[in-house]
Amino acid sequence: MAIIEVTGVRKAYGRRPAVDGVSFAVEEGEIFGILGPNGAGKTTTVECIEGLRVPDAGVIRVAGHDPVADHDEVTRILGAQLQESELQPKLTVREALALYAAFYPNPADWRPLAERLGLGEKLNTRFAKLSGGQKQRLFIALALIGNPRVVVLDELTTGLDPRARRDTWALIEDVRRSGVTVLLVTHFMEEAQRLCDRVAVIDKGRIAALDTPSGLIRRAAGSTVISFTPSAPLDDIALTELPQAAAVEEKHGRVTIHGTDETVNAVITLLARHHITAHQLRVSEATLDDAFLDLTEASA
Amino acid sequence: MTTTLTPPRPARAARTSRTAAVAVLKTETRLFRREPAGLFWIMVFPTVLLVVLGSIPGFRDPDKALGGIRFVDAYVPVAVLLSMIMAGLQAMPPVITGYRERGILRRMSATPVRPSALLGAQMGLHGAAALISALLSLTVGRLAFHVALPHQLFGYALGLLLAVLSALALGALVSALSRTSKVANAIGSAVFFPMMFSAGVWLPVQAMPDTLGRIVELLPFGAAAQALNEAAAGSWPGWDHLGILALWTVLLSAAATRWFRWE
């Protein structure tokens, strides 16, 4: 069952459309990613879902409720971590957790929650004295403190070091295991590939693609990349006529071919026929990065 | 499952929002107490100024320019108004603007609690601090300098209440018009000096030359100063002074509400 339904949502700032007809549904229990370049409309979309902005057109339902008209109800179902928000600088972790717990009819016990998020040692530390990673973990705790059915995490790991980022990912998987649906906004491909069950790629206010991460990669042209240094020049050999070779480049004596599994076999056969050895032959799968660039360029 | 055991939602919601408002007020009170500079300027400085000036021997003799009362008598209402100006205009706007600037109000909008609870708590705290400071000035004036307590107590209390409200409304308007807490500090300071002047910090309103006095009485703290002086002397404060003060409060509040942005 879909816990979030977004249908034909539009939102413009002045005359500039930020979100231009976006529709998708998030199923209960999944980690759903919204991926896109800066300024693509990701944050505006989730802010409409959180009820912080009123869409110009379209319908949004969170567990059947309208985020604007039933704001109170939606805020009890949906926990949010906002991009670039802070807390009172002199508020301690303990006070923040206790305060936000008082906002909800059925709050989680904040002590085990703080332990689970690795904030147990920091309860008496003021917000201003926390590190970036600790602040983010506190915001995750605040998003979870109302025992929500769905959490929206907007650019959660931006500004974190790789270690803290990985810890945060483990945490998000943990949150999902506890039965909470996660809507994740990110511009990190690796994050989306690692965490998300499905990803909506948003570009210029529209959905460019919606699929599983591996589906998106497969969909991108030239998802298999073959590269090698030939033992002799390839001048006379028509590599471009290889089956499904999307692109062929040669640079500093090294050849790179984008294609499919079929292309790999064809290249090897072709080279063997010409008695050319492929030195340092590498075959790699394209990443979500490649797929993303491909998708966002296609709609440009 | 567990939801079937919970009481019907309206009752729960009402109880939660009451608990939430209390929690916000408690938290903001704690944070307020963590600002020693703000506490000093609002709650200590006005009385210290009164004590310093009251220690000058000449200010303890009856003064013809003040209609026969002593300077220190005239300065108690000034100290009282100074605490309100400090609270409403100097201390509060940077806090509220900072809450908006840092996204604290926005974060609260994503919970079942309205961010107006934060603003209400801040205004209540600054108002309460100013009133406590006023009581301190009255007490110290009475004990140290034998300044008589206000003879028309109700009139004085009404004047105090209106003065606090207008100070908070003025501060709220400064917060509404300032995009950042730096701007709030700048605008606050620009308005601060005229307000201190009109309250009589440099020269009590009674001692001001005629024309100047009449202009100052049209300003919120000039009107407040005159209302408090009249009540201190024992008569009911003039409706013109109370009326001007009330009008300012209404206008400033309306403008603050009109222009306030949550983000």
Side-chain angles (χ1 to χ4, degrees):
Chain A
M1 201 200 91
I3 188 155
I4 299 176
E5 289 171 283
V6 176
T7 318
V9 165
R10 285 172 206 282
K11 175 79 189 174
Y13 300 121
R15 295 178 61 190
R16 193 179 63 85
V19 176
D20 195 8
V22 161
S23 302
F24 61 89
V26 179
E27 299 300 319
E28 189 135 32
E30 75 176 331
I31 300 184
F32 188 95
I34 295 184
L35 192 63
N38 294 330
K42 306 184 296 285
T43 294
T44 303
T45 305
V46 295
E47 283 176 346
C48 290
I49 294 171
E50 290 159 346
L52 296 176
R53 291 189 192 283
V54 184
D56 299 332
V59 177
I60 299 177
R61 290 288 176 269
V62 177
H65 301 281
D66 179 339
V68 177
D70 307 329
H71 186 74
D72 286 7
E73 195 56 40
V74 167
T75 52
R76 286 184 198 111
I77 296 167
L78 183 148
Q81 172 259 324
L82 309 183
Q83 196 182 341
E84 286 173 11
S85 75
E86 290 180 48
L87 293 176
Q88 294 90 320
K90 293 188 177 176
L91 194 65
T92 67
V93 170
R94 181 198 310 276
E95 289 161 352
L97 290 166
L99 176 65
Y100 276 70
F103 293 174
Y104 296 92
N106 228 335
D109 186 350
W110 57 264
R111 290 165 197 85
L113 185 62
E115 287 298 331
R116 191 172 138 204
L117 287 159
L119 292 167
E121 307 284 299
K122 293 283 168 191
L123 289 178
N124 294 321
T125 306
R126 292 177 179 187
F127 180 79
K129 302 263 182 215
L130 296 174
S131 72
Q134 289 160 350
K135 284 180 184 172
Q136 290 298 42
R137 276 182 275 148
L138 177 56
F139 279 117
I140 300 176
L142 296 183
L144 291 171
I145 203 149
N147 267 327
R149 288 169 63 192
V150 43
V151 286
V152 179
L153 307 173
D154 191 354
E155 305 260 341
L156 187 61
T157 61
T158 304
L160 296 189
D161 61 57
R163 177 70 194 232
R165 184 171 299 152
R166 264 157 217 285
D167 291 347
T168 309
W169 290 348
L171 207 65
I172 295 170
E173 283 173 331
D174 189 38
V175 167
R176 188 255 292 272
R177 261 195 300 279
S178 68
V180 179
T181 308
V182 180
L183 178 59
L184 184 75
V185 175
T186 183
H187 60 244
F188 288 118
M189 306 304 138
E190 201 192 346
E191 186 165 297
Q193 197 164 356
R194 156 90 189 263
L195 290 175
C196 297
D197 298 307
R198 289 190 305 145
V199 175
V201 178
I202 296 193
D203 190 31
K204 298 187 179 67
R206 294 165 186 270
I207 293 195
L210 200 167
D211 207 335
T212 60
S214 52
L216 287 175
I217 295 167
R218 241 180 287 124
R219 209 192 275 204
S223 64
T224 302
V225 183
I226 309 147
S227 62
F228 56 91
T229 309
S231 58
L234 294 176
D235 302 340
D236 308 330
I237 306 170
L239 286 172
T240 40
E241 281 165 30
L242 287 168
Q244 297 182 20
V248 180
E249 325 163 6
E250 188 169 351
K251 217 186 235 173
H252 309 305
R254 189 156 179 88
V255 178
T256 308
I257 302 165
H258 290 258
T260 62
D261 282 347
E262 225 177 300
T263 326
V264 181
N265 289 326
V267 167
I268 291 166
T269 317
L270 189 70
L271 292 177
R273 208 185 310 141
H274 289 81
H275 306 290
I276 293 172
T277 315
H279 293 295
Q280 289 161 317
L281 175 67
R282 301 280 183 277
V283 178
S284 60
E285 279 296 307
T287 59
L288 195 52
D289 252 320
D290 302 308
F292 175 77
L293 289 174
D294 206 46
L295 286 163
T296 50
E297 267 164 25
S299 68
Chain B
M1 291 145 286
T2 51
T3 46
T4 54
L5 298 172
T6 57
R9 201 184 302 119
R12 276 188 79 81
R15 203 179 62 212
T16 310
S17 73
R18 236 188 349 265
T19 331
V22 172
V24 169
L25 184 60
K26 271 188 185 164
T27 304
E28 292 303 309
T29 308
R30 273 200 199 125
L31 292 174
F32 190 72
R33 294 208 312 250
R34 283 176 200 162
E35 299 296 340
L39 291 174
F40 171 79
W41 290 111
I42 299 171
M43 303 184 67
V44 182
F45 178 73
T47 302
V48 167
L49 187 63
L50 176 69
V51 169
V52 169
L53 294 176
S55 308
I56 300 169
F59 287 169
R60 293 202 302 265
D61 298 327
D63 188 336
K64 254 194 234 154
L66 293 167
I69 59 169
R70 300 171 304 159
F71 185 88
V72 70
D73 295 319
Y75 216 77
V76 169
V78 174
V80 162
L81 290 178
L82 185 56
S83 70
M84 294 173 186
I85 295 172
M86 287 290 183
L89 211 53
Q90 282 294 91
M92 190 178 74
V95 176
I96 291 181
T97 316
Y99 280 7
R100 177 179 50 212
E101 199 179 0
R102 292 166 189 273
I104 294 166
L105 298 179
R106 257 168 78 69
R107 179 62 190 85
M108 200 173 258
S109 309
T111 72
V113 178
R114 294 280 173 280
S116 53
L118 263 183
L119 300 193
Q122 277 297 327
M123 294 180 80
L125 283 168
H126 281 93
L131 287 174
I132 292 169
S133 177
L135 291 180
L136 185 67
S137 295
L138 285 169
T139 311
V140 170
R142 174 74 189 85
L143 296 179
F145 306 110
H146 309 290
V147 177
L149 292 178
H151 293 294
Q152 176 42 262
L153 208 56
F154 286 112
Y156 202 88
L158 182 62
L160 274 186
L161 189 67
L162 281 173
V164 160
L165 290 178
S166 71
L168 295 175
L170 185 58
L173 181 59
V174 172
S175 317
L177 296 179
S178 313
R179 290 179 65 85
T180 66
S181 41
K182 271 187 188 156
V183 176
N185 268 321
I187 300 182
S189 300
V191 187
F192 183 61
F193 290 101
M195 289 303 131
M196 292 221 294
F197 180 82
S198 67
V201 172
W202 286 281
L203 180 67
V205 181
Q206 308 96 301
M208 286 182 186
D210 252 8
T211 322
L212 181 64
R214 253 180 240 124
I215 295 170
V216 162
E217 278 175 23
L218 296 176
L219 295 171
F221 295 105
Q226 289 298 53
L228 294 185
N229 288 333
E230 287 159 354
S235 58
W236 184 260
W239 288 110
D240 48 345
H241 300 312
L242 292 179
I244 288 171
L245 199 47
L247 185 65
W248 273 108
T249 307
V250 170
L251 289 178
L252 292 168
S253 311
T257 315
R258 167 74 181 73
W259 283 305
F260 193 79
R261 292 284 168 269
W262 293 101
E263 52 187 83

